[in-house]
Amino acid sequence: MSTVYLLSIEHIDTAHMEHYGLGKDRLMRIAGMKREEDKKRSIASSLLLKNYLLQHRKTLNDVKTAPDGKPYVEGLHFSLSHSGTYAALAVSEEEIGVDIEEIRPYPKKVMERRFSIGEQAEVIQSIDPDEMFMRIWTAKEAYLKMTGSGIRTSLVEIDTAVDGCVIDHGQSVPVCMHVKRVEEMVLAVCTRHEQKLKIIVMDDDLRENISSRCAILMLELFFEETML
């Protein structure tokens, strides 16, 4: 089972960041960001990770950074992403990658440079090209986050236009890829082995949200078996 925790940035307070208990160094990095939305997304991601680590008797001080920039904690498997109005934390018992992106008009030039011929065809032939572009983009990013090779690999070398696997530099790599729409966002989660996906929307106080709207969302996402 893979689990994704989502936290809205709507009520994040950047004026009183010290109240979140994220640590001096982390808060200084966040304070240095120019855009308020970036600060909120970074705080939300940190809160999700902090909450997850506490469940395993660890803290944000245990987080290290790999040479490729990927944060990690010994013995745990997680991945972070944020975009638009949500931050996302994906956790699993094996290596996992997550990417979440807001759906927006797709850039044709980027598609031509970063997508395979098959992927470009999927976008062009789709009834919703903007969403399809983002489904492919997030799938690529989730795969690269899982492998930890994100900054060393061009997206054009990662082809997701084949069911059940990713073509990585010409080599077929079996993966489990869940790609789902969440409101006006697209969420992709990648693991090496077949896993069900559970998505949980968190309250502002980081309790699992059981409101009717979020409960319906969770059920729809849990039972939807759409695979890219």
Side-chain angles (χ1 to χ4, degrees):
M1 173 74 74
S2 298
T3 303
V4 175
Y5 299 93
L6 296 176
L7 179 62
S8 171
I9 69 170
E10 182 180 0
H11 298 294
I12 296 294
D13 182 8
T14 60
H16 301 92
M17 294 189 296
E18 67 279 2
H19 295 166
Y20 292 116
L22 301 179
K24 182 178 179 180
D25 291 343
R26 185 178 292 263
L27 287 177
M28 287 181 63
R29 290 197 299 271
I30 295 173
M33 298 176 179
K34 295 181 179 180
R35 300 176 59 213
E36 283 297 299
E37 296 299 296
D38 290 337
K39 292 179 181 179
K40 289 183 177 183
R41 284 188 279 263
S42 185
I43 291 172
S45 297
S46 298
L47 287 173
L48 285 174
L49 182 56
K50 176 185 176 182
N51 187 61
Y52 169 65
L53 293 176
L54 285 174
Q55 298 174 26
H56 295 273
R57 298 183 180 181
K58 295 182 182 294
T59 72
L60 291 172
N61 291 330
D62 294 306
V63 180
K64 301 177 183 178
T65 304
D68 61 7
K70 181 179 180 179
Y72 72 96
V73 175
E74 294 291 344
L76 299 178
H77 300 294
F78 65 88
S79 181
L80 291 163
S81 183
H82 53 65
S83 177
T85 58
Y86 280 109
L89 168 70
V91 302
S92 178
E93 294 182 352
E94 64 174 88
E95 290 294 338
I96 188 169
V98 66
D99 192 50
I100 188 169
E101 299 287 346
E102 188 173 20
I103 299 172
R104 50 192 180 272
Y106 80 92
K108 184 177 179 181
K109 290 184 178 179
V110 172
M111 181 187 73
E112 293 172 345
R113 293 199 308 267
R114 305 289 182 86
F115 285 16
S116 69
I117 297 300
E119 290 171 333
Q120 292 183 46
E122 288 186 342
V123 174
I124 295 170
Q125 297 168 9
S126 173
I127 60 174
D128 189 340
D130 295 332
E131 180 179 336
M132 180 56 70
F133 174 91
M134 205 54 71
R135 291 175 70 89
I136 294 170
W137 182 277
T138 55
K140 288 172 176 281
E141 292 283 358
Y143 172 79
L144 291 175
K145 286 186 176 183
M146 181 196 70
T147 63
S149 59
I151 65 173
R152 300 191 301 271
T153 301
S154 170
L155 289 181
V156 74
E157 301 291 346
I158 306 302
D159 187 351
T160 66
V162 182
D163 290 338
C165 72
V166 167
I167 307 301
D168 186 342
H169 290 78
Q171 300 296 315
S172 177
V173 181
V175 298
C176 174
M177 186 76 75
H178 291 275
V179 183
K180 304 181 182 297
R181 180 162 180 161
V182 181
E183 298 177 1
E184 297 306 310
M185 316 284 292
V186 172
L187 172 75
V189 180
C190 184
T191 53
R192 293 192 183 276
H193 302 97
E194 186 73 24
Q195 295 193 32
K196 287 187 176 296
L197 176 65
K198 182 177 182 180
I199 299 179
I200 298 174
V201 181
M202 307 297 286
D203 271 332
D204 297 334
D205 59 2
L206 295 181
R207 290 181 301 176
E208 295 184 9
N209 195 321
I210 55 174
S211 70
S212 59
R213 185 186 72 82
C214 290
I216 292 171
L217 174 64
M218 288 164 57
L219 287 172
E220 288 177 346
L221 291 170
F222 183 70
F223 289 109
E224 179 191 353
E225 293 299 331
T226 302
M227 305 289 286
L228 183 67

